[in-house]
Amino acid sequence: MTKQPKYINLSRAAVVGTLALIAVVVGPAQAHKTPVTAQQLQAYQEAFLAEVKKGDLLFHGDDAMAKKLGVTLSTTGMACAMCHPMTADTHPHSYPKFQAQMGKFATLRDMINWCIEKPNQGEKIDSDSEAMKALEAYIYWSNTGSVLVPGKY
Amino acid sequence: MSELDKARREIATELQQPGLRPDPSVKLTRRTFIHRSCVLGAATVADTFSWWPLINTIDVAHAADAPFKFAWISDTHLYTRSLNTRFVDKTVRAAKEVQAMSPPADFLIFGGDLAQLGKVEELDLGVELLKEIKIRKVFIPGEHDWYLDMGKKWGELFGQPYWSFDHKGVRFIGLDTVSRAPDYWSMKKMSPEERMAHMSVLDGTVAGPWAGVGRDQLDWLQKTLSTWDKAKPVIIFSHNPLYEYYPPWNFWVRDWRDVNEVLKPYTKVTNIHGHVHQVLYNEIGTMRSIGMLATSWPWPYAPEGVPKLTKPMIRVDPGDPFDGVGWGGLAVNAKDTVENEYYMWGRKEVFVQSDADSSLSQPEILRPRIADNQWPY
């Protein structure tokens, strides 16, 4: 397995705490009733980037993160990034579409699972799992700027 | 203007000056070629489609004294045998096919990345699998072979990482483009395994611009070439391409300007390189450059910088481990031509036939990764 150096997100606890505080003080019903503050924006962005970083590590075969999230994305030493450096050729902006390999209409999450099972010979993950959301977050984040072309082969 | 754009402009200004091209007798043509195993009816149905390679014919004036062939295998990226049997199977297949070449190749050049994580077991496994090939074998290193023990095991197995020899009127040169990475490990007190882990990730951001030839090797190259007629053919093997294609993935050597200075007086230089795991062709100044397939897996084309002269390879099926990969047969023949034949397994057509066949038909804008570059490393 390609081993990645560990990373510790020191700000993660702070982000979660801030979001919790906002939820308690403002209340969900009030979330969109007041102008957004810089502090809120930062907290939202950090919450997003925390998932992106998780996904980045999973995508690059980090054993520690896979273990933490309880997933086996590969059993061959291959990691997603070995065929998709910087998520190249994942084309998240082309989903959903008819996916030829599967012979069915598919979402990005379907394709992620297909890659885990076939080329990587790993174990399929729950479509709504934390690991799946993190992978999706990383792939979309990395493709920031790619233009939506849903359905394109 | 981004740094990459600036570099692109510079490469265009420096190297692609008006009227400067490889020798006018050099031209690239393509023809399809039916492998003898099909002609003889020896192939199974499954094999039939895996044996339809496509030949690039490159005409070179004043080439060989006598016709000969040589074979290229690279980027086998072997793990230990028990972890990944597919990479082993593909190395075995390439070795068998090279050994079966008829007439036989004069030698095999192995273009680097024999191992995936530079382990002794991986390199030993590579040597064992390549024993199938009985002809002369020459080796250049890849970064995956090097950064666990800084080339110690590789050197014990294969000797000098750069060299030259003359063969039937062609000067062959092997370059080491991998061993001169800037030191990214000492300050951070990385273990050899951590150093290798960063180096083994193509889109990693820690190892930086590790691909380079280096002043000492450039001086050696200049000296080696000084005894060679400037109009006679030179074929240079390197792991990385000797021009700038996509620096974030080290699809370049960082001192390409200096390499070009040394090669400038020689009019018939062909660079054959690995590392990119894809069909690639370019002309830079008087040098032409051919990218070779891996046996392990194909890399996608970079989101930008693909040379305009490259006819892209076909989009591969990730469900077929034998698709998009293979090896190369090169012939230098009596009609003064060098032919490069991509043996891509599992494909009748190596090159795109229409836009939809190409991954490049779907533009993408990509960001470099972030999670590998944060304290603590």
Side-chain angles (χ1 to χ4, degrees), chain A residues 64-102:
Chain A
M65 184 54 74
K67 203 173 167 192
K68 194 173 163 191
L69 299 185
V71 293
T72 306
L73 302 183
S74 170
T75 58
T76 60
M78 294 288 285
C80 312
M82 286 167 73
C83 293
H84 302 286
M86 283 161 55
T87 76
D89 222 15
T90 53
H91 298 148
H93 48 299
S94 69
Y95 287 91
K97 65 179 169 187
F98 182 83
Q99 188 68 46
Q101 284 88 358
M102 289 178 235

mmCIF file of all heavy atoms in Angstrom, chain A residues 64-102:
data_model
loop_
_atom_site.group_PDB
_atom_site.id
_atom_site.type_symbol
_atom_site.label_atom_id
_atom_site.label_comp_id
_atom_site.label_asym_id
_atom_site.label_seq_id
_atom_site.Cartn_x
_atom_site.Cartn_y
_atom_site.Cartn_z
ATOM 1 N N ALA A 64 -3.702 5.092 7.316
ATOM 2 C CA ALA A 64 -4.242 5.541 8.598
ATOM 3 C C ALA A 64 -5.668 6.084 8.445
ATOM 4 O O ALA A 64 -6.556 5.762 9.240
ATOM 5 C CB ALA A 64 -3.325 6.598 9.192
ATOM 6 N N MET A 65 -5.874 6.887 7.400
ATOM 7 C CA MET A 65 -7.212 7.468 7.206
ATOM 8 C C MET A 65 -8.225 6.381 6.823
ATOM 9 O O MET A 65 -9.364 6.379 7.286
ATOM 10 C CB MET A 65 -7.144 8.563 6.134
ATOM 11 C CG MET A 65 -8.436 9.313 5.909
ATOM 12 S SD MET A 65 -9.178 10.043 7.409
ATOM 13 C CE MET A 65 -8.083 11.435 7.712
ATOM 14 N N ALA A 66 -7.796 5.434 5.980
ATOM 15 C CA ALA A 66 -8.700 4.338 5.597
ATOM 16 C C ALA A 66 -9.115 3.537 6.828
ATOM 17 O O ALA A 66 -10.281 3.158 6.990
ATOM 18 C CB ALA A 66 -8.016 3.436 4.574
ATOM 19 N N LYS A 67 -8.149 3.302 7.695
ATOM 20 C CA LYS A 67 -8.415 2.534 8.906
ATOM 21 C C LYS A 67 -9.382 3.304 9.808
ATOM 22 O O LYS A 67 -10.343 2.741 10.347
ATOM 23 C CB LYS A 67 -7.086 2.287 9.634
ATOM 24 C CG LYS A 67 -7.129 1.090 10.547
ATOM 25 C CD LYS A 67 -5.751 0.780 11.101
ATOM 26 C CE LYS A 67 -5.890 -0.202 12.251
ATOM 27 N NZ LYS A 67 -4.645 -0.336 13.003
ATOM 28 N N LYS A 68 -9.129 4.580 9.937
ATOM 29 C CA LYS A 68 -9.956 5.432 10.796
ATOM 30 C C LYS A 68 -11.413 5.400 10.334
ATOM 31 O O LYS A 68 -12.335 5.372 11.142
ATOM 32 C CB LYS A 68 -9.401 6.861 10.724
ATOM 33 C CG LYS A 68 -9.933 7.783 11.787
ATOM 34 C CD LYS A 68 -9.196 9.111 11.716
ATOM 35 C CE LYS A 68 -9.968 10.176 12.458
ATOM 36 N NZ LYS A 68 -9.429 11.514 12.189
ATOM 37 N N LEU A 69 -11.607 5.413 9.018
ATOM 38 C CA LEU A 69 -12.974 5.433 8.485
ATOM 39 C C LEU A 69 -13.500 4.023 8.217
ATOM 40 O O LEU A 69 -14.615 3.853 7.717
ATOM 41 C CB LEU A 69 -13.029 6.272 7.208
ATOM 42 C CG LEU A 69 -12.642 7.750 7.379
ATOM 43 C CD1 LEU A 69 -12.847 8.509 6.074
ATOM 44 C CD2 LEU A 69 -13.444 8.423 8.486
ATOM 45 N N GLY A 70 -12.693 3.030 8.518
ATOM 46 C CA GLY A 70 -13.139 1.653 8.393
ATOM 47 C C GLY A 70 -13.397 1.189 6.970
ATOM 48 O O GLY A 70 -14.355 0.462 6.711
ATOM 49 N N VAL A 71 -12.538 1.623 6.035
ATOM 50 C CA VAL A 71 -12.740 1.213 4.644
ATOM 51 C C VAL A 71 -11.495 0.542 4.077
ATOM 52 O O VAL A 71 -10.378 0.803 4.518
ATOM 53 C CB VAL A 71 -13.114 2.423 3.742
ATOM 54 C CG1 VAL A 71 -14.478 2.960 4.125
ATOM 55 C CG2 VAL A 71 -12.059 3.528 3.817
ATOM 56 N N THR A 72 -11.706 -0.355 3.121
ATOM 57 C CA THR A 72 -10.605 -0.990 2.387
ATOM 58 C C THR A 72 -10.802 -0.640 0.916
ATOM 59 O O THR A 72 -11.559 -1.284 0.200
ATOM 60 C CB THR A 72 -10.631 -2.517 2.567
ATOM 61 O OG1 THR A 72 -10.635 -2.794 3.978
ATOM 62 C CG2 THR A 72 -9.428 -3.169 1.926
ATOM 63 N N LEU A 73 -10.143 0.426 0.493
ATOM 64 C CA LEU A 73 -10.381 0.924 -0.865
ATOM 65 C C LEU A 73 -9.577 0.161 -1.904
ATOM 66 O O LEU A 73 -9.834 0.282 -3.095
ATOM 67 C CB LEU A 73 -10.037 2.413 -0.941
ATOM 68 C CG LEU A 73 -10.810 3.334 0.022
ATOM 69 C CD1 LEU A 73 -10.415 4.788 -0.210
ATOM 70 C CD2 LEU A 73 -12.320 3.166 -0.141
ATOM 71 N N SER A 74 -8.575 -0.620 -1.457
ATOM 72 C CA SER A 74 -7.729 -1.331 -2.400
ATOM 73 C C SER A 74 -7.016 -2.471 -1.683
ATOM 74 O O SER A 74 -6.711 -2.369 -0.498
ATOM 75 C CB SER A 74 -6.689 -0.368 -2.988
ATOM 76 O OG SER A 74 -5.719 -1.078 -3.724
ATOM 77 N N THR A 75 -6.780 -3.540 -2.418
ATOM 78 C CA THR A 75 -5.974 -4.626 -1.843
ATOM 79 C C THR A 75 -4.757 -4.927 -2.711
ATOM 80 O O THR A 75 -4.069 -5.914 -2.515
ATOM 81 C CB THR A 75 -6.801 -5.925 -1.708
ATOM 82 O OG1 THR A 75 -7.277 -6.283 -3.019
ATOM 83 C CG2 THR A 75 -7.968 -5.751 -0.761
ATOM 84 N N THR A 76 -4.496 -4.085 -3.696
ATOM 85 C CA THR A 76 -3.426 -4.376 -4.663
ATOM 86 C C THR A 76 -2.246 -3.429 -4.532
ATOM 87 O O THR A 76 -1.296 -3.501 -5.318
ATOM 88 C CB THR A 76 -3.950 -4.219 -6.105
ATOM 89 O OG1 THR A 76 -4.407 -2.862 -6.259
ATOM 90 C CG2 THR A 76 -5.084 -5.163 -6.386
ATOM 91 N N GLY A 77 -2.310 -2.513 -3.562
ATOM 92 C CA GLY A 77 -1.277 -1.485 -3.501
ATOM 93 C C GLY A 77 -1.649 -0.272 -4.333
ATOM 94 O O GLY A 77 -1.093 0.804 -4.156
ATOM 95 N N MET A 78 -2.587 -0.449 -5.264
ATOM 96 C CA MET A 78 -3.013 0.671 -6.102
ATOM 97 C C MET A 78 -3.854 1.645 -5.279
ATOM 98 O O MET A 78 -4.646 1.230 -4.442
ATOM 99 C CB MET A 78 -3.878 0.181 -7.270
ATOM 100 C CG MET A 78 -3.180 -0.694 -8.285
ATOM 101 S SD MET A 78 -2.015 0.198 -9.321
ATOM 102 C CE MET A 78 -3.097 1.084 -10.452
ATOM 103 N N ALA A 79 -3.699 2.920 -5.540
ATOM 104 C CA ALA A 79 -4.563 3.938 -4.954
ATOM 105 C C ALA A 79 -5.260 4.678 -6.104
ATOM 106 O O ALA A 79 -4.797 4.631 -7.238
ATOM 107 C CB ALA A 79 -3.748 4.908 -4.130
ATOM 108 N N CYS A 80 -6.360 5.342 -5.785
ATOM 109 C CA CYS A 80 -7.107 6.072 -6.826
ATOM 110 C C CYS A 80 -6.178 6.974 -7.641
ATOM 111 O O CYS A 80 -6.262 7.048 -8.864
ATOM 112 C CB CYS A 80 -8.200 6.936 -6.205
ATOM 113 S SG CYS A 80 -9.227 6.097 -4.994
ATOM 114 N N ALA A 81 -5.286 7.686 -6.900
ATOM 115 C CA ALA A 81 -4.450 8.703 -7.545
ATOM 116 C C ALA A 81 -3.426 8.112 -8.505
ATOM 117 O O ALA A 81 -2.809 8.840 -9.275
ATOM 118 C CB ALA A 81 -3.731 9.536 -6.488
ATOM 119 N N MET A 82 -3.240 6.795 -8.476
ATOM 120 C CA MET A 82 -2.263 6.217 -9.386
ATOM 121 C C MET A 82 -2.763 6.243 -10.827
ATOM 122 O O MET A 82 -1.958 6.290 -11.757
ATOM 123 C CB MET A 82 -1.886 4.811 -8.936
ATOM 124 C CG MET A 82 -0.980 4.882 -7.697
ATOM 125 S SD MET A 82 -0.748 3.317 -6.834
ATOM 126 C CE MET A 82 0.330 2.440 -7.952
ATOM 127 N N CYS A 83 -4.057 6.184 -11.027
ATOM 128 C CA CYS A 83 -4.585 6.399 -12.379
ATOM 129 C C CYS A 83 -5.125 7.825 -12.545
ATOM 130 O O CYS A 83 -5.389 8.261 -13.670
ATOM 131 C CB CYS A 83 -5.698 5.419 -12.705
ATOM 132 S SG CYS A 83 -5.136 3.717 -12.828
ATOM 133 N N HIS A 84 -5.325 8.505 -11.426
ATOM 134 C CA HIS A 84 -5.951 9.832 -11.478
ATOM 135 C C HIS A 84 -5.160 10.866 -10.684
ATOM 136 O O HIS A 84 -5.658 11.398 -9.693
ATOM 137 C CB HIS A 84 -7.377 9.754 -10.917
ATOM 138 C CG HIS A 84 -8.269 8.786 -11.623
ATOM 139 N ND1 HIS A 84 -8.786 9.030 -12.880
ATOM 140 C CD2 HIS A 84 -8.737 7.571 -11.265
ATOM 141 C CE1 HIS A 84 -9.543 7.999 -13.247
ATOM 142 N NE2 HIS A 84 -9.527 7.093 -12.288
ATOM 143 N N PRO A 85 -3.925 11.167 -11.099
ATOM 144 C CA PRO A 85 -3.178 12.190 -10.370
ATOM 145 C C PRO A 85 -3.928 13.522 -10.399
ATOM 146 O O PRO A 85 -4.440 13.912 -11.451
ATOM 147 C CB PRO A 85 -1.848 12.283 -11.135
ATOM 148 C CG PRO A 85 -2.113 11.672 -12.469
ATOM 149 C CD PRO A 85 -3.187 10.660 -12.267
ATOM 150 N N MET A 86 -4.005 14.162 -9.251
ATOM 151 C CA MET A 86 -4.770 15.417 -9.137
ATOM 152 C C MET A 86 -6.226 15.217 -9.591
ATOM 153 O O MET A 86 -6.854 16.134 -10.082
ATOM 154 C CB MET A 86 -4.109 16.548 -9.937
ATOM 155 C CG MET A 86 -2.890 17.132 -9.245
ATOM 156 S SD MET A 86 -1.738 18.068 -10.313
ATOM 157 C CE MET A 86 -2.800 19.282 -11.056
ATOM 158 N N THR A 87 -6.697 14.006 -9.465
ATOM 159 C CA THR A 87 -8.043 13.573 -9.882
ATOM 160 C C THR A 87 -8.249 13.677 -11.400
ATOM 161 O O THR A 87 -9.384 13.661 -11.882
ATOM 162 C CB THR A 87 -9.199 14.327 -9.170
ATOM 163 O OG1 THR A 87 -9.334 15.635 -9.733
ATOM 164 C CG2 THR A 87 -8.990 14.404 -7.677
ATOM 165 N N ALA A 88 -7.168 13.775 -12.164
ATOM 166 C CA ALA A 88 -7.274 13.848 -13.619
ATOM 167 C C ALA A 88 -8.113 12.686 -14.139
ATOM 168 O O ALA A 88 -8.041 11.576 -13.615
ATOM 169 C CB ALA A 88 -5.882 13.787 -14.248
ATOM 170 N N ASP A 89 -8.897 12.959 -15.169
ATOM 171 C CA ASP A 89 -9.630 11.900 -15.844
ATOM 172 C C ASP A 89 -10.719 11.261 -14.971
ATOM 173 O O ASP A 89 -11.218 10.197 -15.310
ATOM 174 C CB ASP A 89 -8.646 10.811 -16.322
ATOM 175 C CG ASP A 89 -8.980 10.327 -17.723
ATOM 176 O OD1 ASP A 89 -9.755 11.016 -18.401
ATOM 177 O OD2 ASP A 89 -8.475 9.273 -18.129
ATOM 178 N N THR A 90 -11.078 11.902 -13.864
ATOM 179 C CA THR A 90 -12.249 11.414 -13.124
ATOM 180 C C THR A 90 -13.513 12.071 -13.667
ATOM 181 O O THR A 90 -14.598 11.506 -13.570
ATOM 182 C CB THR A 90 -12.156 11.730 -11.617
ATOM 183 O OG1 THR A 90 -11.912 13.130 -11.452
ATOM 184 C CG2 THR A 90 -11.054 10.934 -10.939
ATOM 185 N N HIS A 91 -13.351 13.277 -14.198
ATOM 186 C CA HIS A 91 -14.457 13.992 -14.848
ATOM 187 C C HIS A 91 -15.742 14.014 -14.025
ATOM 188 O O HIS A 91 -16.798 13.611 -14.521
ATOM 189 C CB HIS A 91 -14.722 13.399 -16.235
ATOM 190 C CG HIS A 91 -13.557 13.519 -17.159
ATOM 191 N ND1 HIS A 91 -13.277 12.593 -18.126
ATOM 192 C CD2 HIS A 91 -12.583 14.458 -17.248
ATOM 193 C CE1 HIS A 91 -12.167 12.944 -18.775
ATOM 194 N NE2 HIS A 91 -11.743 14.070 -18.253
ATOM 195 N N PRO A 92 -15.677 14.499 -12.785
ATOM 196 C CA PRO A 92 -16.891 14.546 -11.967
ATOM 197 C C PRO A 92 -17.962 15.432 -12.589
ATOM 198 O O PRO A 92 -19.151 15.227 -12.351
ATOM 199 C CB PRO A 92 -16.397 15.146 -10.640
ATOM 200 C CG PRO A 92 -15.171 15.907 -11.000
ATOM 201 C CD PRO A 92 -14.523 15.118 -12.096
ATOM 202 N N HIS A 93 -17.511 16.377 -13.403
ATOM 203 C CA HIS A 93 -18.446 17.326 -14.034
ATOM 204 C C HIS A 93 -19.252 16.685 -15.153
ATOM 205 O O HIS A 93 -20.106 17.329 -15.738
ATOM 206 C CB HIS A 93 -17.683 18.553 -14.539
ATOM 207 C CG HIS A 93 -16.447 18.232 -15.335
ATOM 208 N ND1 HIS A 93 -15.368 17.536 -14.823
ATOM 209 C CD2 HIS A 93 -16.114 18.509 -16.617
ATOM 210 C CE1 HIS A 93 -14.429 17.404 -15.743
ATOM 211 N NE2 HIS A 93 -14.860 17.982 -16.841
ATOM 212 N N SER A 94 -18.959 15.412 -15.480
ATOM 213 C CA SER A 94 -19.714 14.762 -16.554
ATOM 214 C C SER A 94 -20.819 13.850 -16.012
ATOM 215 O O SER A 94 -21.557 13.247 -16.782
ATOM 216 C CB SER A 94 -18.769 13.955 -17.440
ATOM 217 O OG SER A 94 -18.273 12.832 -16.740
ATOM 218 N N TYR A 95 -20.906 13.753 -14.672
ATOM 219 C CA TYR A 95 -21.942 12.892 -14.063
ATOM 220 C C TYR A 95 -23.171 13.702 -13.704
ATOM 221 O O TYR A 95 -23.062 14.901 -13.497
ATOM 222 C CB TYR A 95 -21.388 12.216 -12.807
ATOM 223 C CG TYR A 95 -20.405 11.121 -13.146
ATOM 224 C CD1 TYR A 95 -19.054 11.410 -13.241
ATOM 225 C CD2 TYR A 95 -20.833 9.824 -13.401
ATOM 226 C CE1 TYR A 95 -18.146 10.420 -13.585
ATOM 227 C CE2 TYR A 95 -19.927 8.829 -13.731
ATOM 228 C CZ TYR A 95 -18.587 9.126 -13.818
ATOM 229 O OH TYR A 95 -17.691 8.141 -14.154
ATOM 230 N N PRO A 96 -24.342 13.053 -13.619
ATOM 231 C CA PRO A 96 -24.584 11.638 -13.909
ATOM 232 C C PRO A 96 -24.597 11.386 -15.409
ATOM 233 O O PRO A 96 -24.823 12.286 -16.201
ATOM 234 C CB PRO A 96 -25.974 11.390 -13.299
ATOM 235 C CG PRO A 96 -26.653 12.723 -13.394
ATOM 236 C CD PRO A 96 -25.567 13.754 -13.215
ATOM 237 N N LYS A 97 -24.347 10.119 -15.765
ATOM 238 C CA LYS A 97 -24.330 9.771 -17.184
ATOM 239 C C LYS A 97 -24.454 8.257 -17.354
ATOM 240 O O LYS A 97 -24.325 7.503 -16.386
ATOM 241 C CB LYS A 97 -23.014 10.234 -17.816
ATOM 242 C CG LYS A 97 -21.781 9.521 -17.278
ATOM 243 C CD LYS A 97 -20.542 10.039 -17.987
ATOM 244 C CE LYS A 97 -19.264 9.590 -17.331
ATOM 245 N NZ LYS A 97 -18.079 10.214 -17.900
ATOM 246 N N PHE A 98 -24.653 7.839 -18.591
ATOM 247 C CA PHE A 98 -24.611 6.416 -18.880
ATOM 248 C C PHE A 98 -23.158 5.991 -18.826
ATOM 249 O O PHE A 98 -22.312 6.537 -19.530
ATOM 250 C CB PHE A 98 -25.190 6.106 -20.263
ATOM 251 C CG PHE A 98 -25.199 4.634 -20.552
ATOM 252 C CD1 PHE A 98 -26.229 3.830 -20.083
ATOM 253 C CD2 PHE A 98 -24.162 4.047 -21.262
ATOM 254 C CE1 PHE A 98 -26.215 2.453 -20.314
ATOM 255 C CE2 PHE A 98 -24.143 2.678 -21.498
ATOM 256 C CZ PHE A 98 -25.172 1.883 -21.023
ATOM 257 N N GLN A 99 -22.838 5.047 -17.941
ATOM 258 C CA GLN A 99 -21.457 4.628 -17.764
ATOM 259 C C GLN A 99 -21.251 3.300 -18.477
ATOM 260 O O GLN A 99 -21.817 2.271 -18.076
ATOM 261 C CB GLN A 99 -21.128 4.505 -16.274
ATOM 262 C CG GLN A 99 -19.673 4.255 -15.981
ATOM 263 C CD GLN A 99 -18.783 5.464 -16.313
ATOM 264 O OE1 GLN A 99 -19.115 6.581 -15.957
ATOM 265 N NE2 GLN A 99 -17.699 5.232 -17.023
ATOM 266 N N ALA A 100 -20.438 3.337 -19.523
ATOM 267 C CA ALA A 100 -20.301 2.164 -20.389
ATOM 268 C C ALA A 100 -19.832 0.920 -19.635
ATOM 269 O O ALA A 100 -20.340 -0.177 -19.862
ATOM 270 C CB ALA A 100 -19.344 2.479 -21.534
ATOM 271 N N GLN A 101 -18.844 1.101 -18.719
ATOM 272 C CA GLN A 101 -18.307 -0.070 -18.010
ATOM 273 C C GLN A 101 -19.382 -0.812 -17.228
ATOM 274 O O GLN A 101 -19.339 -2.019 -17.072
ATOM 275 C CB GLN A 101 -17.210 0.334 -17.015
ATOM 276 C CG GLN A 101 -15.879 0.663 -17.631
ATOM 277 C CD GLN A 101 -15.784 2.120 -18.017
ATOM 278 O OE1 GLN A 101 -16.736 2.873 -17.853
ATOM 279 N NE2 GLN A 101 -14.654 2.500 -18.553
ATOM 280 N N MET A 102 -20.342 -0.015 -16.689
ATOM 281 C CA MET A 102 -21.384 -0.634 -15.866
ATOM 282 C C MET A 102 -22.623 -0.978 -16.683
ATOM 283 O O MET A 102 -23.480 -1.716 -16.223
ATOM 284 C CB MET A 102 -21.799 0.345 -14.767
ATOM 285 C CG MET A 102 -20.767 0.530 -13.702
ATOM 286 S SD MET A 102 -21.386 1.751 -12.534
ATOM 287 C CE MET A 102 -20.066 2.905 -12.575
#
